[in-house]
Amino acid sequence: MDTGMAALLMLLTAVDEGLGACFFGIMPEHLQPFRAEFGVPGEYDPIGGITVGYRAEDVPEQGTRVAERRRAAEDVIHRGQWGRHA
């Protein structure tokens, strides 16, 4: 659970910084090549990875709909009781 939440925060932070990010699962048949490529020790069994990077120059910019749809903090943070903002 903690690892999943950490991965989610990494993805959201990358997007907030204007980067692209993607979580991908590592299928068992691809585990050894993944370990070899990234130097993952044998005592670890990664189940996924995260790619982070800049948008390719030939890809159009992401629309502003993401920012437009983002709700204000007071609409999503509840203190003490649901629907209570004070």
Side-chain angles (χ1 to χ4, degrees):
M1 181 65 112
D2 290 342
T3 304
M5 292 301 220
L8 176 62
L9 285 172
M10 286 185 254
L11 294 169
L12 289 171
T13 300
V15 171
D16 283 347
E17 293 298 318
L19 299 168
C22 176
F23 175 86
F24 61 92
I26 303 170
M27 301 305 291
E29 61 270 18
H30 298 135
L31 184 56
Q32 285 311 113
F34 183 86
R35 282 181 195 206
E37 183 67 29
F38 294 102
V40 178
E43 62 265 18
Y44 295 99
D45 293 320
I47 59 168
I50 296 175
T51 60
V52 178
Y54 292 98
R55 182 177 293 273
E57 292 180 11
D58 61 341
V59 176
E61 287 291 321
Q62 182 176 358
T64 58
R65 293 219 6 110
V66 172
E68 290 172 1
R69 291 181 7 215
R70 184 166 285 173
R71 293 184 285 172
E74 59 270 8
D75 293 335
V76 295
I77 298 172
H78 307 281
R79 292 181 176 89
Q81 184 177 356
W82 193 265
R84 200 170 169 183
H85 302 290

Coordinates of all heavy atoms in Angstrom, one line a residue:
M1 N 0.8 -1.2 0.0 CA 0.0 0.0 0.0 C 0.9 1.3 0.0 O 0.6 2.2 -0.8 CB -0.9 0.0 1.2 CG -1.8 1.2 1.3 SD -3.0 1.2 0.0 CE -4.5 1.0 0.8
D2 N 1.9 1.3 0.8 CA 2.8 2.5 0.9 C 3.5 2.7 -0.4 O 3.6 3.8 -0.9 CB 3.8 2.3 2.0 CG 3.2 2.4 3.4 OD1 2.1 2.9 3.5 OD2 3.8 1.9 4.4
T3 N 3.9 1.6 -1.0 CA 4.6 1.7 -2.3 C 3.7 2.3 -3.4 O 4.0 3.1 -4.2 CB 5.2 0.4 -2.7 OG1 6.1 -0.1 -1.7 CG2 6.0 0.5 -4.0
G4 N 2.4 1.8 -3.4 CA 1.5 2.3 -4.4 C 1.2 3.7 -4.2 O 1.1 4.5 -5.2
M5 N 1.1 4.2 -2.9 CA 0.8 5.6 -2.7 C 2.0 6.4 -3.1 O 1.9 7.5 -3.7 CB 0.5 5.8 -1.2 CG -0.8 5.2 -0.8 SD -2.1 6.0 -1.8 CE -3.4 6.1 -0.6
A6 N 3.2 5.9 -2.8 CA 4.4 6.7 -3.2 C 4.5 6.8 -4.7 O 4.9 7.8 -5.3 CB 5.7 5.9 -2.7
A7 N 4.2 5.7 -5.4 CA 4.2 5.7 -6.9 C 3.2 6.8 -7.4 O 3.5 7.5 -8.3 CB 3.8 4.3 -7.5
L8 N 2.0 6.8 -6.8 CA 1.0 7.8 -7.2 C 1.5 9.2 -7.0 O 1.3 10.1 -7.9 CB -0.3 7.5 -6.4 CG -1.4 8.5 -6.7 CD1 -1.9 8.5 -8.1 CD2 -2.6 8.3 -5.7
L9 N 2.1 9.5 -5.9 CA 2.7 10.8 -5.6 C 3.7 11.2 -6.6 O 3.8 12.3 -7.1 CB 3.2 10.9 -4.2 CG 2.1 11.0 -3.1 CD1 2.7 10.9 -1.7 CD2 1.4 12.3 -3.3
M10 N 4.6 10.2 -7.0 CA 5.6 10.5 -8.0 C 4.9 10.8 -9.4 O 5.4 11.8 -10.0 CB 6.5 9.3 -8.2 CG 7.5 9.1 -7.1 SD 8.6 7.8 -7.5 CE 8.0 6.5 -6.4
L11 N 3.9 10.1 -9.8 CA 3.2 10.4 -11.0 C 2.5 11.8 -11.0 O 2.7 12.5 -11.9 CB 2.2 9.3 -11.3 CG 2.7 7.9 -11.5 CD1 1.5 6.9 -11.5 CD2 3.4 7.8 -12.8
L12 N 1.9 12.1 -9.9 CA 1.2 13.4 -9.8 C 2.2 14.5 -9.8 O 2.0 15.6 -10.4 CB 0.3 13.4 -8.5 CG -0.9 12.5 -8.6 CD1 -1.6 12.5 -7.2 CD2 -1.9 13.0 -9.6
T13 N 3.3 14.3 -9.1 CA 4.3 15.4 -9.0 C 4.9 15.6 -10.4 O 5.1 16.8 -10.8 CB 5.4 15.0 -8.0 OG1 4.8 14.9 -6.7 CG2 6.5 16.1 -7.9
A14 N 5.2 14.6 -11.1 CA 5.7 14.7 -12.5 C 4.8 15.5 -13.3 O 5.2 16.5 -14.0 CB 6.0 13.4 -13.1
V15 N 3.5 15.2 -13.3 CA 2.5 15.9 -14.1 C 2.4 17.4 -13.6 O 2.4 18.3 -14.5 CB 1.1 15.2 -14.0 CG1 0.1 16.1 -14.7 CG2 1.2 13.9 -14.7
D16 N 2.4 17.6 -12.3 CA 2.4 19.0 -11.8 C 3.6 19.8 -12.3 O 3.5 21.0 -12.4 CB 2.3 19.0 -10.3 CG 0.9 18.7 -9.8 OD1 0.0 18.7 -10.6 OD2 0.8 18.4 -8.6
E17 N 4.7 19.2 -12.5 CA 5.9 19.8 -13.0 C 6.0 19.9 -14.5 O 7.0 20.4 -15.1 CB 7.2 19.1 -12.4 CG 7.3 19.2 -10.9 CD 7.5 20.7 -10.5 OE1 8.2 21.4 -11.1 OE2 6.8 21.0 -9.4
G18 N 4.9 19.5 -15.2 CA 4.9 19.6 -16.6 C 5.6 18.5 -17.4 O 5.9 18.6 -18.6
L19 N 5.8 17.4 -16.7 CA 6.5 16.2 -17.3 C 5.4 15.2 -17.6 O 4.3 15.2 -17.1 CB 7.5 15.6 -16.3 CG 8.7 16.6 -16.0 CD1 9.5 16.0 -14.8 CD2 9.5 16.8 -17.2
G20 N 5.8 14.2 -18.4 CA 5.0 13.1 -18.6 C 5.4 11.9 -17.7 O 6.6 11.9 -17.4
A21 N 4.5 11.1 -17.2 CA 4.9 10.0 -16.4 C 4.0 8.8 -16.6 O 2.8 9.0 -17.0 CB 4.9 10.4 -14.9
C22 N 4.5 7.6 -16.4 CA 3.7 6.4 -16.7 C 4.2 5.3 -15.8 O 5.4 5.0 -15.7 CB 3.8 6.0 -18.1 SG 3.0 4.5 -18.5
F23 N 3.3 4.6 -15.1 CA 3.6 3.4 -14.3 C 3.4 2.2 -15.3 O 2.4 2.2 -16.0 CB 2.7 3.2 -13.1 CG 2.9 1.9 -12.4 CD1 3.9 1.9 -11.4 CD2 2.2 0.8 -12.7 CE1 4.1 0.7 -10.8 CE2 2.4 -0.4 -12.1 CZ 3.4 -0.5 -11.1
F24 N 4.3 1.3 -15.2 CA 4.2 0.1 -16.0 C 4.5 -1.1 -15.2 O 5.4 -1.1 -14.3 CB 5.1 0.1 -17.3 CG 6.5 0.2 -17.0 CD1 7.3 -0.9 -16.9 CD2 7.2 1.4 -16.8 CE1 8.7 -0.9 -16.6 CE2 8.5 1.5 -16.6 CZ 9.3 0.4 -16.5
G25 N 3.8 -2.2 -15.4 CA 4.0 -3.4 -14.7 C 5.1 -4.2 -15.4 O 5.3 -4.1 -16.6
I26 N 5.8 -5.0 -14.6 CA 6.9 -5.9 -15.2 C 6.4 -7.3 -15.1 O 6.2 -7.9 -14.0 CB 8.2 -5.7 -14.4 CG1 8.6 -4.2 -14.3 CG2 9.3 -6.6 -14.9 CD1 9.8 -3.9 -13.4
M27 N 6.2 -7.9 -16.3 CA 5.7 -9.3 -16.3 C 6.9 -10.2 -15.9 O 8.1 -9.9 -16.1 CB 5.3 -9.6 -17.7 CG 4.1 -8.7 -18.2 SD 2.7 -8.7 -17.1 CE 2.1 -10.3 -17.4
P28 N 6.6 -11.4 -15.3 CA 7.6 -12.3 -14.9 C 8.7 -12.6 -15.9 O 9.9 -12.7 -15.6 CB 6.9 -13.5 -14.4 CG 5.5 -13.0 -14.0 CD 5.3 -11.9 -15.0
E29 N 8.3 -12.8 -17.2 CA 9.2 -13.1 -18.2 C 10.1 -12.0 -18.6 O 11.2 -12.2 -19.3 CB 8.5 -13.6 -19.5 CG 7.5 -12.6 -20.1 CD 6.1 -12.7 -19.6 OE1 5.9 -13.3 -18.5 OE2 5.2 -12.2 -20.3
H30 N 9.8 -10.7 -18.1 CA 10.7 -9.6 -18.4 C 11.5 -9.1 -17.2 O 12.2 -8.2 -17.3 CB 9.8 -8.4 -18.9 CG 9.1 -8.7 -20.2 ND1 7.8 -8.4 -20.4 CD2 9.5 -9.3 -21.3 CE1 7.4 -8.8 -21.6 NE2 8.5 -9.4 -22.2
L31 N 11.3 -9.9 -16.1 CA 12.0 -9.5 -14.9 C 13.5 -9.5 -15.0 O 14.2 -8.6 -14.6 CB 11.5 -10.3 -13.7 CG 12.1 -10.0 -12.3 CD1 11.8 -8.5 -12.0 CD2 11.5 -10.9 -11.3
Q32 N 14.1 -10.6 -15.5 CA 15.5 -10.7 -15.6 C 16.1 -9.6 -16.6 O 17.1 -9.0 -16.2 CB 15.9 -12.1 -16.1 CG 15.8 -13.2 -15.0 CD 16.5 -12.7 -13.7 OE1 15.8 -12.5 -12.7 NE2 17.8 -12.6 -13.7
P33 N 15.6 -9.4 -17.7 CA 16.1 -8.3 -18.6 C 16.0 -7.0 -17.9 O 16.9 -6.1 -18.0 CB 15.3 -8.3 -19.8 CG 14.7 -9.7 -19.9 CD 14.5 -10.2 -18.5
F34 N 14.9 -6.7 -17.1 CA 14.8 -5.5 -16.4 C 15.9 -5.3 -15.3 O 16.5 -4.3 -15.2 CB 13.4 -5.4 -15.7 CG 13.1 -4.1 -15.0 CD1 12.6 -3.0 -15.7 CD2 13.4 -4.0 -13.7 CE1 12.4 -1.8 -15.0 CE2 13.1 -2.8 -13.0 CZ 12.6 -1.7 -13.7
R35 N 16.1 -6.4 -14.6 CA 17.2 -6.4 -13.6 C 18.5 -6.1 -14.2 O 19.3 -5.3 -13.7 CB 17.2 -7.7 -12.9 CG 16.2 -7.9 -11.9 CD 16.4 -9.3 -11.2 NE 15.1 -9.5 -10.5 CZ 15.1 -10.3 -9.4 NH1 16.1 -10.9 -9.0 NH2 13.9 -10.5 -8.9
A36 N 18.8 -6.8 -15.3 CA 20.1 -6.6 -16.0 C 20.3 -5.2 -16.5 O 21.3 -4.6 -16.3 CB 20.2 -7.6 -17.1
E37 N 19.2 -4.6 -17.0 CA 19.3 -3.2 -17.6 C 19.5 -2.2 -16.5 O 20.2 -1.2 -16.7 CB 18.1 -3.0 -18.4 CG 18.1 -1.6 -19.1 CD 19.1 -1.5 -20.2 OE1 19.5 -2.6 -20.8 OE2 19.6 -0.4 -20.5
F38 N 18.8 -2.4 -15.4 CA 18.8 -1.3 -14.4 C 19.6 -1.7 -13.1 O 19.6 -0.9 -12.1 CB 17.4 -0.9 -14.0 CG 16.7 -0.3 -15.2 CD1 15.8 -1.0 -15.9 CD2 16.9 1.0 -15.5 CE1 15.1 -0.4 -17.0 CE2 16.3 1.6 -16.6 CZ 15.4 0.9 -17.4
G39 N 20.3 -2.8 -13.1 CA 21.1 -3.2 -12.0 C 20.4 -3.5 -10.7 O 20.8 -3.2 -9.6
V40 N 19.2 -4.1 -10.9 CA 18.4 -4.4 -9.7 C 18.9 -5.7 -9.1 O 19.0 -6.7 -9.7 CB 16.9 -4.6 -10.1 CG1 16.0 -5.0 -8.9 CG2 16.3 -3.3 -10.7
P41 N 19.3 -5.6 -7.8 CA 19.9 -6.8 -7.1 C 18.8 -8.0 -7.1 O 17.6 -7.7 -7.0 CB 20.2 -6.4 -5.7 CG 20.2 -4.9 -5.8 CD 19.3 -4.5 -6.9
G42 N 19.3 -9.2 -7.0 CA 18.5 -10.4 -7.0 C 17.5 -10.5 -5.9 O 16.5 -11.2 -6.0
E43 N 17.8 -9.9 -4.7 CA 17.0 -10.0 -3.6 C 15.7 -9.1 -3.7 O 14.8 -9.2 -2.8 CB 17.7 -9.7 -2.3 CG 18.3 -8.3 -2.1 CD 19.7 -8.2 -2.6 OE1 20.2 -9.1 -3.3 OE2 20.4 -7.2 -2.2
Y44 N 15.6 -8.3 -4.7 CA 14.4 -7.5 -4.9 C 13.6 -8.0 -6.1 O 14.2 -8.4 -7.1 CB 14.8 -6.0 -5.2 CG 15.5 -5.4 -4.1 CD1 16.9 -5.3 -4.0 CD2 14.8 -4.9 -3.0 CE1 17.5 -4.7 -2.9 CE2 15.4 -4.3 -1.9 CZ 16.8 -4.2 -1.9 OH 17.4 -3.6 -0.8
D45 N 12.3 -8.0 -6.0 CA 11.4 -8.5 -7.0 C 10.5 -7.3 -7.4 O 9.4 -7.2 -6.9 CB 10.5 -9.6 -6.5 CG 11.4 -10.9 -6.3 OD1 12.3 -11.1 -7.1 OD2 11.1 -11.6 -5.3
P46 N 11.0 -6.4 -8.3 CA 10.2 -5.3 -8.7 C 8.9 -5.8 -9.5 O 9.0 -6.7 -10.2 CB 11.1 -4.5 -9.6 CG 12.1 -5.4 -10.1 CD 12.2 -6.5 -9.0
I47 N 7.8 -5.1 -9.2 CA 6.6 -5.4 -9.9 C 6.2 -4.4 -10.9 O 5.3 -4.6 -11.7 CB 5.4 -5.6 -8.9 CG1 5.2 -4.4 -8.1 CG2 5.7 -6.8 -8.0 CD1 3.9 -4.4 -7.3
G48 N 6.9 -3.3 -10.9 CA 6.6 -2.2 -11.8 C 7.7 -1.1 -11.8 O 8.6 -1.2 -11.0
G49 N 7.6 -0.2 -12.7 CA 8.5 0.9 -12.8 C 7.8 2.2 -13.2 O 6.6 2.1 -13.6
I50 N 8.4 3.3 -13.1 CA 7.8 4.6 -13.5 C 8.8 5.2 -14.5 O 10.0 5.4 -14.2 CB 7.6 5.5 -12.3 CG1 6.6 4.8 -11.3 CG2 7.1 6.9 -12.7 CD1 6.4 5.6 -10.0
T51 N 8.2 5.6 -15.6 CA 9.0 6.4 -16.6 C 8.6 7.9 -16.3 O 7.4 8.2 -16.1 CB 8.7 6.0 -18.0 OG1 7.3 6.2 -18.3 CG2 9.1 4.6 -18.3
V52 N 9.6 8.8 -16.5 CA 9.3 10.2 -16.3 C 10.1 10.9 -17.4 O 11.3 10.6 -17.7 CB 9.8 10.8 -14.9 CG1 9.6 12.3 -14.8 CG2 9.1 10.1 -13.8
G53 N 9.5 11.9 -18.1 CA 10.3 12.6 -19.1 C 9.5 13.7 -19.7 O 8.4 14.0 -19.3
Y54 N 10.2 14.4 -20.6 CA 9.6 15.5 -21.3 C 8.8 15.0 -22.5 O 9.1 14.0 -23.2 CB 10.7 16.5 -21.8 CG 11.4 17.2 -20.6 CD1 12.6 16.7 -20.2 CD2 10.8 18.3 -20.1 CE1 13.2 17.3 -19.1 CE2 11.4 18.9 -19.0 CZ 12.6 18.4 -18.5 OH 13.2 19.1 -17.5
R55 N 7.8 15.8 -22.9 CA 7.0 15.5 -24.1 C 7.8 15.6 -25.3 O 8.6 16.6 -25.4 CB 5.8 16.4 -24.1 CG 4.8 16.2 -25.3 CD 3.7 17.2 -25.2 NE 2.8 16.9 -24.0 CZ 1.8 16.0 -24.1 NH1 1.5 15.3 -25.1 NH2 1.1 15.8 -23.0
A56 N 7.7 14.7 -26.3 CA 8.4 14.8 -27.5 C 8.0 16.1 -28.2 O 6.9 16.6 -28.1 CB 8.1 13.6 -28.4
E57 N 8.9 16.7 -28.9 CA 8.7 18.0 -29.6 C 7.6 17.9 -30.7 O 6.9 18.9 -31.0 CB 10.0 18.5 -30.2 CG 11.0 18.9 -29.2 CD 12.3 19.4 -29.7 OE1 12.4 19.7 -31.0 OE2 13.3 19.6 -29.0
D58 N 7.4 16.7 -31.3 CA 6.5 16.6 -32.4 C 5.1 16.2 -31.8 O 4.2 15.9 -32.6 CB 6.9 15.6 -33.4 CG 7.1 14.2 -32.8 OD1 7.3 14.1 -31.6 OD2 7.2 13.2 -33.6
V59 N 4.9 16.2 -30.5 CA 3.6 15.9 -29.9 C 2.9 17.2 -29.4 O 3.6 18.0 -28.8 CB 3.8 14.9 -28.7 CG1 2.4 14.6 -28.1 CG2 4.4 13.6 -29.2
P60 N 1.7 17.4 -29.7 CA 1.0 18.6 -29.3 C 1.0 18.8 -27.8 O 1.0 17.8 -27.1 CB -0.4 18.5 -29.9 CG -0.5 17.3 -30.6 CD 0.8 16.5 -30.5
E61 N 1.0 20.0 -27.3 CA 0.9 20.3 -25.9 C -0.4 19.7 -25.3 O -1.4 19.7 -26.0 CB 1.0 21.8 -25.6 CG 2.3 22.4 -25.8 CD 3.3 21.9 -24.8 OE1 3.0 21.8 -23.6 OE2 4.5 21.7 -25.2
Q62 N -0.3 19.4 -24.0 CA -1.6 18.9 -23.3 C -2.5 20.1 -23.2 O -2.0 21.2 -22.8 CB -1.2 18.3 -22.0 CG -2.4 17.8 -21.2 CD -2.0 17.1 -19.9 OE1 -0.8 17.0 -19.6 NE2 -2.9 16.6 -19.2
G63 N -3.7 19.9 -23.3 CA -4.7 20.9 -23.2 C -4.8 21.4 -21.8 O -4.3 20.8 -20.8
T64 N -5.5 22.6 -21.6 CA -5.6 23.1 -20.2 C -6.8 22.5 -19.5 O -7.0 22.9 -18.3 CB -5.9 24.7 -20.4 OG1 -7.0 24.9 -21.2 CG2 -4.7 25.3 -21.0
R65 N -7.4 21.5 -20.0 CA -8.6 20.9 -19.4 C -8.2 20.3 -18.0 O -9.0 20.3 -17.1 CB -9.2 19.9 -20.2 CG -9.9 20.5 -21.4 CD -11.2 19.9 -21.9 NE -11.8 18.9 -21.1 CZ -12.9 19.1 -20.4 NH1 -13.5 20.3 -20.4 NH2 -13.5 18.2 -19.7
V66 N -7.0 19.8 -17.9 CA -6.5 19.2 -16.6 C -6.6 20.3 -15.5 O -7.2 20.1 -14.5 CB -5.1 18.6 -16.7 CG1 -4.6 18.2 -15.4 CG2 -5.1 17.5 -17.7
A67 N -6.0 21.5 -15.7 CA -6.0 22.5 -14.8 C -7.4 23.1 -14.5 O -7.8 23.4 -13.4 CB -5.1 23.6 -15.2
E68 N -8.2 23.1 -15.6 CA -9.6 23.6 -15.5 C -10.5 22.7 -14.6 O -11.3 23.2 -13.9 CB -10.2 23.7 -16.9 CG -9.7 24.8 -17.7 CD -10.2 24.8 -19.1 OE1 -11.0 23.9 -19.5 OE2 -9.8 25.6 -20.0
R69 N -10.2 21.4 -14.7 CA -11.0 20.4 -13.9 C -10.6 20.3 -12.5 O -11.3 19.7 -11.7 CB -11.0 19.1 -14.6 CG -11.7 19.1 -16.0 CD -11.7 17.8 -16.7 NE -11.1 16.7 -16.0 CZ -10.5 15.7 -16.5 NH1 -10.2 15.7 -17.8 NH2 -10.0 14.7 -15.8
R70 N -9.4 20.8 -12.1 CA -8.9 20.6 -10.8 C -9.7 21.4 -9.8 O -10.0 22.6 -10.0 CB -7.4 21.1 -10.7 CG -6.8 20.8 -9.3 CD -5.4 21.0 -9.3 NE -4.8 19.8 -10.0 CZ -3.6 19.6 -10.3 NH1 -2.7 20.5 -10.0 NH2 -3.1 18.5 -10.8
R71 N -10.2 20.7 -8.8 CA -11.1 21.4 -7.8 C -10.2 22.1 -6.8 O -9.1 21.7 -6.5 CB -12.0 20.4 -7.1 CG -13.0 19.8 -8.1 CD -13.9 18.8 -7.4 NE -13.2 17.6 -7.1 CZ -13.7 16.6 -6.4 NH1 -14.9 16.7 -5.8 NH2 -13.0 15.5 -6.2
A72 N -10.8 23.1 -6.2 CA -10.1 23.9 -5.1 C -9.9 23.0 -3.9 O -10.7 22.1 -3.6 CB -10.9 25.2 -4.8
A73 N -8.9 23.3 -3.1 CA -8.6 22.5 -1.9 C -9.8 22.5 -0.9 O -10.1 21.5 -0.4 CB -7.4 23.1 -1.2
E74 N -10.5 23.6 -0.8 CA -11.6 23.7 0.1 C -12.8 22.8 -0.3 O -13.7 22.4 0.5 CB -12.1 25.1 0.4 CG -12.5 25.8 -0.8 CD -11.4 26.6 -1.5 OE1 -10.2 26.5 -1.1 OE2 -11.7 27.4 -2.5
D75 N -12.8 22.4 -1.6 CA -13.8 21.5 -2.1 C -13.5 20.0 -1.8 O -14.4 19.2 -1.9 CB -14.0 21.7 -3.6 CG -14.6 23.1 -3.9 OD1 -15.3 23.7 -3.0 OD2 -14.4 23.5 -5.0
V76 N -12.3 19.7 -1.5 CA -11.9 18.3 -1.4 C -11.3 18.0 0.0 O -11.1 16.8 0.3 CB -10.9 17.9 -2.5 CG1 -11.6 17.9 -3.8 CG2 -9.6 18.7 -2.4
I77 N -11.0 19.0 0.8 CA -10.4 18.7 2.2 C -11.6 18.9 3.2 O -12.2 19.9 3.2 CB -9.3 19.7 2.5 CG1 -8.2 19.5 1.5 CG2 -8.8 19.5 3.9 CD1 -7.1 20.5 1.6
H78 N -11.7 17.9 4.0 CA -12.8 17.9 5.1 C -12.1 17.8 6.4 O -11.4 16.8 6.6 CB -13.8 16.8 4.8 CG -14.4 16.9 3.4 ND1 -15.3 17.8 3.0 CD2 -14.0 16.2 2.3 CE1 -15.6 17.6 1.7 NE2 -14.8 16.6 1.3
R79 N -12.4 18.7 7.3 CA -11.8 18.6 8.7 C -12.9 18.3 9.7 O -13.8 19.0 9.8 CB -11.2 20.0 9.0 CG -10.0 20.3 8.1 CD -9.3 21.6 8.5 NE -8.1 21.8 7.7 CZ -8.1 22.4 6.5 NH1 -9.2 22.8 5.9 NH2 -6.9 22.6 5.9
G80 N -12.6 17.2 10.4 CA -13.5 16.9 11.5 C -14.8 16.2 11.0 O -15.3 15.2 11.7
Q81 N -15.4 16.6 10.0 CA -16.7 16.1 9.5 C -16.8 16.3 8.0 O -16.4 17.4 7.5 CB -17.8 16.7 10.3 CG -19.2 16.1 9.9 CD -20.3 16.7 10.8 OE1 -20.0 17.5 11.7 NE2 -21.5 16.3 10.5
W82 N -17.4 15.4 7.3 CA -17.6 15.6 5.9 C -18.4 16.8 5.6 O -19.4 17.1 6.3 CB -18.3 14.4 5.3 CG -18.3 14.3 3.8 CD1 -19.2 14.8 3.0 CD2 -17.2 13.8 3.0 NE1 -18.8 14.6 1.7 CE2 -17.6 14.0 1.7 CE3 -16.0 13.2 3.3 CZ2 -16.8 13.7 0.6 CZ3 -15.2 12.9 2.2 CH2 -15.6 13.1 0.9
G83 N -17.9 17.6 4.6 CA -18.7 18.8 4.3 C -18.4 20.0 5.2 O -18.9 21.1 4.9
R84 N -17.6 19.9 6.2 CA -17.3 20.9 7.1 C -15.9 21.5 6.8 O -14.9 20.7 6.7 CB -17.3 20.4 8.5 CG -17.4 21.4 9.5 CD -17.7 20.6 10.8 NE -17.6 21.5 11.9 CZ -17.7 21.2 13.1 NH1 -17.9 20.0 13.5 NH2 -17.6 22.1 14.1
H85 N -15.7 22.8 6.5 CA -14.5 23.4 6.1 C -13.8 24.2 7.2 O -12.7 24.7 6.9 CB -14.7 24.2 4.8 CG -15.3 23.4 3.7 ND1 -14.6 22.4 3.1 CD2 -16.5 23.4 3.2 CE1 -15.4 21.9 2.1 NE2 -16.5 22.5 2.2
A86 N -14.4 24.4 8.3 CA -13.8 25.2 9.3 C -13.2 24.4 10.5 O -13.5 23.3 10.7 CB -14.8 26.2 9.8

